[in-house]
Amino acid sequence: MAELAPILIAGGGIGGLALSLALAGRGCRSIVLEARHEFAAEGAGIQLGPNGVRALQHLGVADTLHPKAGEPEALEVRDGGTSRLLATLPLGRWIADRHGAPYWAVHRGDLHAALLTAAGKQSAVSLRTGFAVTDLADEGSGVEIASATGDRVAGRALVGADGLWSGVRSTICPAIAPQFVGSTATRTVIPAADAGRLAFPSVGLWLSPGANIVHYPVRGGTEVAVVVIAVEAWEGRDWAAEADRTALMGRVGGFHASLIEPLAGARSWRKWALHRLAPLPRWSAGRITLLGDAAHPMLPHLAQGGVLALEDAVVLADCLEHHPGEEATAFLAYERQRRERAARVQAASRRNGRVYQMGPAFAWARNAALRLVPGARLMSGYDWLYGWRFDATR
Ligand SMILES: Cc1cc2nc3c(=O)[nH]c(=O)nc-3n(C[C@H](O)[C@H](O)[C@H](O)COP(=O)(O)OP(=O)(O)OC[C@H]3O[C@@H](n4cnc5c(N)ncnc54)[C@H](O)[C@@H]3O)c2cc1C
């Protein structure tokens, strides 16, 4: 039997690389085409719930990443202004026992590097940089894509893993574009030695009207990643725009000194504008489909953007394996398994954002409820999220 042509993957971020690995694990060839001139390891922290770690185990990269992962013991929720502890939701052993995989916090660069190194070792994966997909055509029996410089590549199907501003998505759902939500996320990483009380092996979530701050250990606990999410009218498309430190400190002025003081020494703050996209009417058209942020960008309030891209990758590769040579059918099967879950996570992330940044009147009721309900009960409300197993969704 003739060997099948490769699957083309537009975008070598977390989702695109994960898909190339999932396909290689099934003996399926792929070409990853990344617009940038090198596979970049930008970013700060990224939390990986048990559902994400389970996907990494499936992809064979969990063992490589493990030494660099922080394993937070709990999620501590605090009132931003007073630093009063509102709730302690168990992570650590509790969540690992509950879902059969741990909860990790890693540097985004470490996650990306682990995926890239593993993909680079696979003979079934070709990695190509400096190829910005600008044109594509579904020829019926295959797909041909072209780059900004006029290079052309053919394959049997195309997966758009090209992120929030996906060009592939605009060919499937032309009238739909992300909308700015009026907030930015500004991130940094500080050495644990300078982090004061933030160096605890927990995820910290501090709530305040119009802003919330999250921190957690990365790089095996030697560094602490910090993200400030606050109302700000800046809607640039850059993932790593330099943030004005003085303006940022002004926006977090209402937070307790024990949180702000360790942040004062942080050298570099980078920000990106938060956008939302309503669930798409479809992810696929013929031999073309979408994955990760291209299909369902996430607000960061549930820390699931990268994780859902990992889940997508595993499910999509599984569908292609179960429908050999029938890519359009495989893509519809993949969509059926993923769309409802992705929409649910998108909605839950938005809801969390509203709850985290409530104004003073509602914040009082929220804080009272958080203090009353046991943390384990609050966390078990996320069993539907963290308990995901790809083989149970077929
Ligand atoms: C640089 C960067 C930093 C981030 N930092 C954080 C962070 O610190 N914390 C956090 O929680 N989330 C962060 N995110 C978001 C989070 O990582 C995403 O939810 C997750 O990465 C989704 O993965 P993805 O593969 O779908 O998209 P992305 O990770 O966005 O990857 C998309 C890839 O496609 C490439 N691309 C775009 N257009 C084209 C094209 N036309 N042709 C070919 N390639 C193309 C991009 O260069 C990029 O490499 C970051 C994203 C990026 C890109």
Side-chain angles (χ1 to χ4, degrees):
M1 214 169 87
E3 195 181 17
L4 291 171
I7 301 284
L8 308 180
I9 302 170
I14 291 167
L17 291 173
L19 177 63
S20 74
L21 279 173
L23 290 170
R26 290 160 173 81
C28 173
R29 290 189 300 137
S30 65
I31 305 176
V32 180
L33 301 135
E34 166 57 42
R36 287 188 273 188
H37 288 283
E38 56 186 43
F39 286 98
E42 289 175 44
I46 190 160
Q47 298 178 62
L48 297 167
N51 51 328
V53 176
R54 188 185 300 287
L56 291 173
Q57 289 166 344
H58 179 87
L59 297 172
V61 292
D63 288 345
T64 320
L65 194 57
H66 188 191
K68 303 206 163 145
E71 293 192 42
E73 288 163 9
L75 165 61
E76 292 186 353
V77 186
R78 291 179 184 276
D79 179 275
T82 64
S83 99
R84 183 175 181 183
L85 185 64
L86 301 173
T88 304
L89 283 67
L91 296 171
R93 173 63 64 83
W94 185 91
I95 203 161
D97 286 348
R98 193 170 184 88
H99 298 303
Y103 193 107
W104 286 353
V106 298
H107 194 287
R108 192 177 180 280
D110 290 339
L111 171 61
H112 194 267
L115 292 167
L116 182 62
T117 304
K121 289 180 183 159
Q122 297 288 338
S123 58
V125 178
S126 298
L127 299 170
R128 201 162 156 185
T129 51
F131 193 111
V133 178
T134 51
D135 210 1
L136 53 99
D138 184 343
E139 314 277 4
S141 58
V143 173
E144 189 174 77
I145 59 174
S147 75
T149 52
D151 289 346
R152 307 186 91 78
V153 178
R156 64 182 154 114
L158 171 67
V159 180
D162 49 346
L164 173 66
W165 298 105
S166 170
V168 179
R169 182 181 61 231
S170 59
T171 67
I172 296 177
C173 301
I176 296 177
Q179 292 170 338
F180 178 53
V181 300
S183 299
T184 57
T186 308
R187 62 190 190 265
T188 194
V189 178
I190 51 179
D194 301 342
R197 70 186 287 184
L198 311 194
F200 290 175
S202 292
V203 179
L205 168 62
W206 300 62
L207 312 179
S208 178
N212 65 277
I213 298 182
V214 184
H215 58 82
Y216 44 86
V218 294
R219 300 215 148 128
T222 59
E223 296 180 358
V224 177
V226 183
V227 186
V228 176
I229 299 170
V231 171
E232 183 185 1
W234 175 83
E235 49 181 304
R237 290 191 176 193
D238 194 343
W239 275 107
E242 193 151 349
D244 180 309
R245 223 184 132 277
T246 311
L248 176 70
M249 287 300 138
R251 273 194 293 282
V252 298
F255 282 87
H256 195 257
S258 61
L259 170 64
I260 296 309
E261 276 165 13
L263 303 185
R267 271 170 300 164
S268 162
W269 288 92
R270 303 272 164 184
K271 68 179 178 181
W272 75 93
L274 300 184
H275 288 79
R276 65 176 289 262
L277 188 76
L280 298 175
R282 58 181 187 154
W283 290 7
S284 314
R287 290 174 174 272
I288 303 170
T289 196
L290 302 170
L291 176 147
D293 277 8
H296 47 68
M298 295 284 161
L299 293 173
H301 309 294
L302 205 48
Q304 284 281 317
V307 170
L308 267 261
L310 295 172
E311 287 187 9
D312 284 351
V314 172
V315 174
L316 179 50
D318 188 59
C319 290
L320 283 163
E321 185 183 31
H322 281 85
H323 298 279
E326 296 174 11
E327 288 73 22
T329 308
F331 289 169
L332 291 178
Y334 153 72
E335 249 194 80
R336 269 198 302 279
Q337 288 185 45
R338 297 300 297 160
R339 276 180 52 187
E340 196 181 311
R341 177 168 172 81
R344 187 174 181 189
V345 181
Q346 282 180 308
S349 300
R350 287 188 73 200
R351 200 166 47 245
N352 274 6
R354 284 195 296 270
V355 172
Y356 292 172
Q357 300 193 358
M358 277 172 169
F362 291 109
W364 181 87
R366 175 201 63 204
N367 292 356
L370 281 170
R371 284 200 301 271
L372 211 64
V373 183
R377 173 121 50 99
L378 291 171
M379 192 53 100
S380 49
Y382 290 106
D383 282 352
W384 64 272
L385 181 65
Y386 298 129
W388 174 86
R389 287 164 195 263
F390 95 92
D391 46 358
T393 57
R394 257 188 223 143

